Amino acid sequence: MDAGRDGGTDAREAALRQAYGHALDWLASLSGRRVPARASVEEIVRALGAELPAGPSTPADVVDLLATACEPGLTAFPSGRFYGFVVGGTEPAALAADWLVSAWDQNCVMRAVSPSYAAAEDIAGAWLLDLLGLPGDSAVGFTTGATMANFTCLAAGRDAVLRRAGVNVARDGLAGGPGVRVLAGRDRHMAIDLALRYLGLGEPELVPADDQGRIDPVALRRALAAGGHRPTIVVLQAGDIHSGAFDPFAETIRAARDADAWVHVDGAFGLWAAASPAYAHLTAGCAEADSWATDAHKTLNVPYDCGLAVVRDPFALRAAMGLRGDYLIQDAQGDPVDKVPELSRRGRAFTVWAALRSLGRSGVADLVERLCRHARAFAAGIAGIEGASVLNDVVFTQVCAAFGDDERTGRVLARVLDDGTAWISGSTWHGRRVMRISVSNWSTTDEDVTRALDAIRRACASA
């Protein structure tokens, strides 16, 4: 069926208007709706229809079916009452920019092909380096998330330390070269292990950490000395996933430098502490590392997906990620394609530019400080519940709590989810079942925190 240009344009406009209406309805529902989804996968499959239709459907009708069928199965991640994972909401300017990204449909690979995207990436990258206190001549790549940002940075580090040992990984691969040691704290995030697996580096050697997850600098120095002169990468973290704690960067990076190791910082949500005068001390010394990974779709609150890979040496990043093709129109100064694994990719920098332009320097600082204030309010509220205990030093946006033994903590968690007022999930930390609260959403209010705490109190009373 050929609808023709006019018919196709009309159908597109009708579908977009339908999507706009459903999007506004969804956003308007967030303040009052239950946070957990109300329907199961099987129920959504039945509502969507599992059989592929024999013929075409009107685009507006397809959008309407998708929105109405899926609405009961949506979790209110953008709600100010979702605390289950480190999940940001979507800041208004970034959300609107993301709609434009889809409409513009740019393949953001080369400067010559999409100069507007390249300009937005250049500006947003420079702003990020400034806000995060990182070296201004570093390269910034826009990835799908922190997992691929860690992968990208560690690939640059792997190739760099092997290059110092006389191995050209791009030409010869890893076979026959000296093994790369990777040292990481005991409480590193699992994304580090995954990235190392992708890179063929195996499991990291684990260094002891303290009760908040901070790597022990004395133990790190001993581990570095025990490795001789093997090519080495040290992985540090800005923001432990349970406690929110930050590694002691000055001491650990000094030890790594003495061993000629590459230093990478996994700062998925915590690296943004550097943007706040009140919390920048947590990242003191961090800027002396070689690479840093963070997410924009966490603390900065841009739409999924958007991670950031930052590498001090642009050559090292380009050597690891760059490629050449006869049909590509590549710029001598480098292209977006030279900084991340994907060739085809979405215009993520547009949304980051929009969020930063909307918030400004003071707005980013206020966002970070507001999230931290809500975390402290959660900790104070839970500490006042009989039988409850806050297990971590609440230094950033994470709170871990227990409500007696593991069985009772599990019952409290289940009752909170059944209540539906908030989404707060559990974890196991230091062998103990815990409630883990991550405050990450720009739209969370004092009232949201109060409502969530009331739900926790109700759960405790019935557990």
Side-chain angles (χ1 to χ4, degrees):
M1 179 177 73
D2 184 0
R5 181 176 178 84
D6 291 339
T9 300
D10 290 345
R12 180 175 61 198
E13 290 181 1
L16 287 171
R17 292 182 189 281
Q18 193 78 294
Y20 175 71
H22 282 295
L24 291 183
D25 289 345
W26 160 252
L27 294 172
S29 76
L30 293 174
S31 62
R33 71 182 293 128
R34 284 173 51 88
V35 179
R38 304 190 311 273
S40 67
V41 172
E42 293 74 20
E43 289 171 321
I44 304 304
V45 167
R46 288 195 293 271
L48 287 170
E51 185 174 338
L52 179 66
S57 302
T58 303
D61 291 343
V62 171
V63 171
D64 189 55
L65 172 61
L66 178 67
T68 55
C70 288
E71 188 275 336
L74 296 175
T75 296
F77 286 106
S79 164
R81 290 171 285 112
F82 186 93
Y83 313 105
F85 311 108
V86 188
V87 173
T90 305
E91 194 273 335
L95 172 59
D98 197 52
W99 288 3
L100 285 176
V101 169
S102 292
W104 288 342
D105 197 24
Q106 303 288 289
N107 186 3
C108 303
V109 178
M110 293 168 287
R111 305 178 77 86
V113 177
S114 186
S116 292
Y117 176 78
E121 184 171 290
D122 288 350
I123 295 170
W127 287 352
L128 288 163
L129 295 175
D130 181 30
L131 281 170
L132 299 177
L134 301 179
D137 55 353
S138 301
V140 183
F142 290 72
T143 65
T144 55
T147 298
M148 290 311 295
N150 281 311
F151 168 87
T152 300
C153 293
L154 289 168
R158 178 198 65 183
D159 292 5
V161 297
L162 285 172
R163 197 158 43 243
R164 294 173 197 162
V167 178
N168 185 328
V169 176
R171 183 190 63 209
D172 302 325
L174 296 175
V180 176
R181 299 177 75 213
V182 179
L183 302 178
R186 181 194 63 201
D187 287 359
R188 82 279 172 216
H189 192 275
M190 59 191 175
I192 293 298
D193 295 48
L194 185 62
L196 295 175
R197 194 164 80 227
Y198 290 163
L199 290 165
L201 297 180
E203 295 182 350
E205 297 179 30
L206 300 185
V207 179
D210 67 13
D211 63 349
Q212 298 297 305
R214 294 179 290 247
I215 196 169
D216 181 340
V218 175
L220 174 62
R221 190 173 284 278
R222 283 199 301 265
L224 287 165
H229 299 289
R230 288 174 57 192
T232 301
I233 296 172
V234 172
V235 178
L236 305 175
Q237 65 176 352
D240 181 90
I241 197 64
H242 287 101
S243 70
F246 292 65
D247 282 336
F249 297 114
E251 297 171 81
T252 51
I253 293 176
R254 190 180 309 116
R257 285 280 174 265
D258 291 344
D260 197 28
W262 177 284
V263 182
H264 171 65
V265 177
D266 174 18
F269 63 93
L271 199 60
W272 292 93
S276 159
Y279 289 91
H281 65 279
L282 295 171
T283 62
C286 180
E288 298 304 313
D290 296 292
S291 60
W292 306 263
T294 189
D295 270 322
H297 61 228
K298 287 186 170 67
T299 306
L300 186 60
N301 278 246
V302 306
Y304 277 98
D305 53 26
C306 188
L308 302 165
V310 183
V311 178
R312 175 188 292 274
D313 179 1
F315 168 80
L317 181 58
R318 192 170 182 177
M321 292 291 129
L323 79 164
R324 287 288 176 267
D326 291 339
Y327 72 97
L328 300 178
I329 309 169
Q330 293 181 272
D331 195 291
Q333 66 177 312
D335 288 286
V337 72
D338 295 320
K339 296 183 285 186
V340 295
E342 305 97 340
L343 187 55
S344 299
R345 92 281 304 275
R346 184 172 177 79
R348 301 181 185 105
F350 286 126
T351 62
V352 174
W353 178 91
L356 294 176
R357 183 68 174 80
S358 175
L359 292 168
R361 187 183 304 276
S362 64
V364 175
D366 179 69
L367 171 59
V368 170
E369 291 161 18
R370 192 165 66 249
L371 299 178
C372 294
R373 177 168 58 80
H374 291 321
R376 293 196 304 273
F378 266 114
I382 291 171
I385 299 173
E386 185 177 357
S389 54
V390 176
L391 304 180
N392 66 309
D393 299 331
V394 181
V395 297
F396 200 55
T397 58
Q398 306 298 103
V399 181
C400 275
F403 301 86
D405 60 21
D406 286 358
E407 290 73 18
R408 185 167 188 267
T409 297
R411 290 196 300 272
V412 171
L413 288 165
R415 282 163 171 73
V416 168
L417 288 179
D418 288 343
D419 179 275
T421 300
W423 182 296
I424 304 174
S425 55
S427 185
T428 299
W429 190 42
H430 295 171
R432 188 172 183 182
R433 186 69 172 157
V434 297
M435 172 184 284
R436 187 175 73 92
I437 298 171
S438 300
V439 187
S440 308
N441 195 311
W442 71 277
S443 67
T444 296
T445 63
D446 293 342
E447 181 186 359
D448 288 327
V449 175
T450 297
R451 291 173 64 186
L453 284 168
D454 287 344
I456 295 171
R457 293 186 186 100
R458 289 194 296 271
C460 289
S462 63

